Amino acid sequence: MCGLLVAPMNGFILDRHKRKPPVAGMSEREADLNSAVLSFFLTSLVSLIFSICASIPVLPLQYFTFIALMVNYSFVYGGMAAFVAMTFPPCHFGKLYGFIFGLSAVFSLLQYACFAVVEELLDGDPLYMNIGLTILILFSFSHPLNVFLHCRALASQRAKANKITDMTTESQLLKEPL
C-alpha cells in the first residue's frame, strides 16, 4: 500500500521537465535523463537511510525503517523501469526488464549466505555485515553522478554545436552583398 502512495512521487520527479518549456536544442531523451538524476540520487539516499536505520536495533526506529524500505522499493523498481525505458530502444525493454529482475533474484539468494555468515562467523551479531552493506550502498551514488556528468557532456556538446552554427550563420550573413 505504501508503494501506491509513494510511486507517483517518483513519477512526478521523473516527469518534472515536461511541465516546463523545452530548452532549445535539447532532445526529449536528454531532458528525461536530466530529470532522472534527482530520482536516482533520492533512490540512493533512501537506500542509505534504510541501511543505516536497519543497523540500529531500536524498535521505534524499526517502524521508520519499514517505511524507508517501502519507499526504497518503490523508487528502485520505478526508477529502474524508467531508466531502461529512457536509455534503451523500446524493442529491448522486456528483455532488459526481465534480465534485471532475474539479476535481482540472484542477488536476493545471497541473503541466505549473509545470514549464514552472521550466524557462523559473526556469532549472531549483524553489525559488521550491516556496516559492509552500508559501505556497498555508497557505491550506488556513482550512478546519479555518472548520469549527471553524461548530461553535462551532452549540454556542452550542444552548446558547441550551437556556437558553431551561430558562427557559420554570422559568416554567411557577412559574405552576402547588400
Side-chain angles (χ1 to χ4, degrees), residues 151-165:
C151 289
R152 225 167 74 178
L154 288 175
S156 68
Q157 286 175 357
R158 188 177 66 250
K160 284 180 186 176
N162 287 343
K163 186 176 180 181
I164 290 171
T165 303

Side-chain angles (χ1 to χ4, degrees), residues 124-158:
D125 184 18
L127 178 65
Y128 296 112
M129 180 66 71
N130 288 338
I131 290 171
L133 293 174
T134 301
I135 291 170
L136 208 68
I137 286 173
L138 289 175
F139 287 110
S140 71
F141 284 98
S142 66
H143 184 243
L145 178 65
N146 186 28
V147 173
F148 174 74
L149 293 175
H150 176 73
C151 289
R152 225 167 74 178
L154 288 175
S156 68
Q157 286 175 357
R158 188 177 66 250

